[in-house]
Amino acid sequence: MISLHHSPRLSANQCGSVVTQTIQAPLPLVWSVVRQFDEPQAYKQFVKHCGLSSGDGGAGSVRELTVVSGLPAERSTERLDRLDDESHVMVISIIGGDHKLVNYRSTTTLHEGGDNTVVMESYVVDIPADSCEEDTCLFAETIIGCNLKSLAKLAEKMADG
Ligand code: A8S
């Protein structure tokens, strides 16, 4: 699963990595939250508003996000490239916005681990000309880390009833 989904080819001006989070909740429950492309604000705390500008939430759909204030961006346009309910794979590309994440693409996969669910999220992104690999990756990893921690909190609360 890791080599299949989380080993993207990087160009010279790109960077990427993978963030992993273990969640004490059943996989179907975690997937039910993750797969809602039109409702990222369910667990992504930086998202203020989300609306679909194309599609019905399935593959090919496009969402328009606004993010909370205090971040170096206000908007992002994102396309759902793949949503696999059997393998639990979700691939999203960022295709526009007023932020620095150019050619950003993420792959999220869920894996059963005993009573737990392991979430893996990898990404690739262009390194801006005025930045470096370290800063670009740290920025992306920090946001993904926050998102996955918040996903864990929500799913564990739902699992506890
Ligand atoms: C995600 C991952 C990322 C989102 C980033 C990296 C973003 O939503 C935020 C700040 C930015 O500057 C870029 O899975 C952007 O959501 C929180 C608006 C895209």
Side-chain angles (χ1 to χ4, degrees), residues 33-94:
V33 177
V34 169
R35 74 181 299 287
Q36 294 299 327
F37 181 70
D38 59 342
E39 267 188 62
Q41 68 274 32
Y43 70 95
K44 295 186 180 187
Q45 295 184 315
F46 300 122
V47 177
K48 187 159 78 183
H49 179 266
C50 174
L52 289 183
S53 56
S54 175
D56 58 4
S61 298
V62 176
R63 69 186 178 196
E64 309 288 339
L65 301 184
T66 56
V67 297
V68 298
S69 60
L71 289 165
E74 284 176 10
R75 301 181 305 281
S76 182
T77 304
E78 309 181 351
R79 185 184 62 226
L80 180 59
D81 293 330
R82 185 168 167 212
L83 184 68
D84 188 328
D85 283 315
E86 253 144 56
S87 308
H88 310 109
V89 179
M90 188 178 197
V91 180
I92 295 171
S93 291
I94 298 188

Side-chain angles (χ1 to χ4, degrees), residues 114-150:
D115 294 338
N116 297 329
T117 302
V118 176
V119 182
M120 303 187 69
E121 184 160 335
S122 61
Y123 68 91
V124 286
V125 66
D126 287 5
I127 303 165
D130 63 351
S131 187
C132 62
E133 169 162 359
E134 204 184 344
D135 291 353
T136 305
C137 278
L138 183 62
F139 180 70
E141 275 166 38
T142 302
I143 293 170
I144 294 171
C146 286
N147 286 343
L148 296 186
K149 284 211 164 51
S150 157

Side-chain angles (χ1 to χ4, degrees), residues 21-27 29-30 34 110-111 113 115-119 147-157 159:
Q21 174 76 47
T22 301
I23 302 180
Q24 289 174 318
L27 187 148
L29 192 155
V30 178
V34 169
L110 268 53
H111 311 270
D115 294 338
N116 297 329
T117 302
V118 176
V119 182
N147 286 343
L148 296 186
K149 284 211 164 51
S150 157
L151 172 66
K153 224 174 152 182
L154 174 70
E156 286 168 6
K157 200 171 135 194

